[in-house]
Amino acid sequence: MREASNRSNRRVVYETLRRKVLTLELPPGASLSENELAASLGVSRTPVRESLILLGEEGLVRVFPKVGSFVSRVDAERVADAQFLREAVELAAFDDIPETLDPDLVAELRANLEQQREARHDLEKFFELDEAFHHGLLRLSGHGRAWSTVVAAKGHLDRARRLGLQETNGMGRFVDEHHSILDAVVAGDISSARDSLRGHLRAVFADIEKTRQRSPELFAADDGSVPVRRSIAVWE
């Protein structure tokens, strides 16, 4: 029983820390103290340490010996890899869109779009609805279960998307693009839907570049820089 409880505890800590990293509550470059994290989560250091190792394997945390652990900066190459995978899956799914769409699912997607417009000033609510919309498109094609694979692979992309939304406040634009995509699917114009979706997904790169120009310290550099230890460790 204790072993099962420990595994459950580790999973909860890991998922909590991962969510904090992806939502930018723990921003790129932030120093991570095992003691402080353990205290804030009400657990021992062991599950925190194990969770940081797992996050390190995902590239979301970096550990520097004798210096400390930090939230990784946004890596443009990892973002591009995640975007490549996401685009491949979502575009391929359009090939299996049936001629007769599930009317309940279409209605669900329409309602989602209305909620997106209402939430366009609430980043996290909008992000949640955006995820549900894209999952819904996969469900239309019968490939809804593939979404979990996409989600698992796009942690770096999600951080970049949130940074881009903060920078550009482009949620209203994305709602309009979502409408265009769904309208094309419902009209049976899969070619137009595919073109619209491709452009929509790739818009993240322009948004990222704007963020990089404004806040370069949030992005991984090519100079192999490491944090320096002062009274606390600082990643310059």
Side-chain angles (χ1 to χ4, degrees):
M1 286 291 292
R2 176 173 294 183
E3 183 178 348
S5 177
N6 288 341
R7 285 199 300 269
S8 176
N9 202 31
R10 284 196 296 269
R11 173 55 57 178
V12 170
V13 171
Y14 162 75
E15 291 178 348
T16 299
L17 292 179
R18 190 175 192 273
R19 175 181 53 78
K20 288 177 179 290
V21 170
L22 297 189
T23 61
L24 309 178
E25 184 177 341
L26 291 172
S31 176
L32 300 172
S33 163
E34 288 183 9
N35 288 332
E36 292 177 4
L37 291 172
S40 68
L41 297 174
V43 298
S44 69
R45 289 177 56 188
T46 299
V48 171
R49 185 182 306 113
E50 292 170 343
S51 297
L52 292 179
I53 290 172
L54 290 175
L55 292 171
E57 292 173 353
E58 292 184 62
L60 294 173
V61 165
R62 291 195 66 185
V63 178
F64 296 91
K66 300 182 180 180
V67 178
S69 299
F70 296 80
V71 178
S72 68
R73 291 172 171 173
V74 177
D75 186 322
E77 290 185 359
R78 286 180 179 269
V79 171
D81 288 343
Q83 172 65 19
F84 174 81
L85 175 62
R86 179 179 188 179
E87 184 176 312
V89 171
E90 293 198 44
L91 292 180
F94 277 158
D95 293 337
D96 293 330
I97 294 282
E99 290 186 10
T100 302
L101 301 176
D102 181 336
D104 292 336
L105 185 47
V106 171
E108 180 183 319
L109 288 168
R110 293 287 190 201
N112 174 288
L113 292 177
E114 292 309 307
Q115 293 176 60
Q116 284 185 36
R117 199 167 294 283
E118 294 172 1
R120 63 187 182 277
H121 300 301
D122 183 338
L123 189 151
E124 283 308 315
K125 181 61 177 176
F126 177 83
F127 201 93
E128 176 185 334
L129 291 165
D130 177 273
E131 295 281 279
F133 177 79
H134 285 273
H135 184 198
L137 291 178
L138 285 179
R139 290 164 59 203
L140 274 178
S141 71
H143 295 297
R145 286 175 293 184
W147 183 247
S148 60
T149 301
V150 174
V151 169
K154 67 186 184 72
H156 292 273
L157 175 61
D158 285 348
R159 288 202 301 164
R161 289 169 60 209
R162 284 184 169 92
L163 286 171
L165 286 171
Q166 288 180 350
E167 176 69 23
T168 65
N169 194 26
M171 289 177 275
R173 183 189 83 214
F174 287 154
V175 176
D176 292 338
E177 293 174 357
H178 287 158
H179 271 286
S180 297
I181 293 165
L182 183 58
D183 287 345
V185 169
V186 172
D189 189 352
I190 301 303
S191 178
S192 292
R194 185 180 289 108
D195 289 343
S196 295
L197 179 61
R198 182 182 293 109
H200 169 70
L201 293 177
R202 292 184 180 181
V204 67
F205 293 119
D207 292 343
I208 289 172
E209 188 54 36
K210 292 177 183 177
T211 307
R212 188 204 297 269
Q213 293 298 321
R214 183 181 180 89
S215 304
E217 72 279 0
L218 299 177
F219 293 81
D222 297 325
D223 58 6
S225 61
V226 299
V228 295
R229 179 167 291 284
R230 296 175 181 162
S231 57
I232 60 171
V234 179
W235 198 351
E236 295 182 320

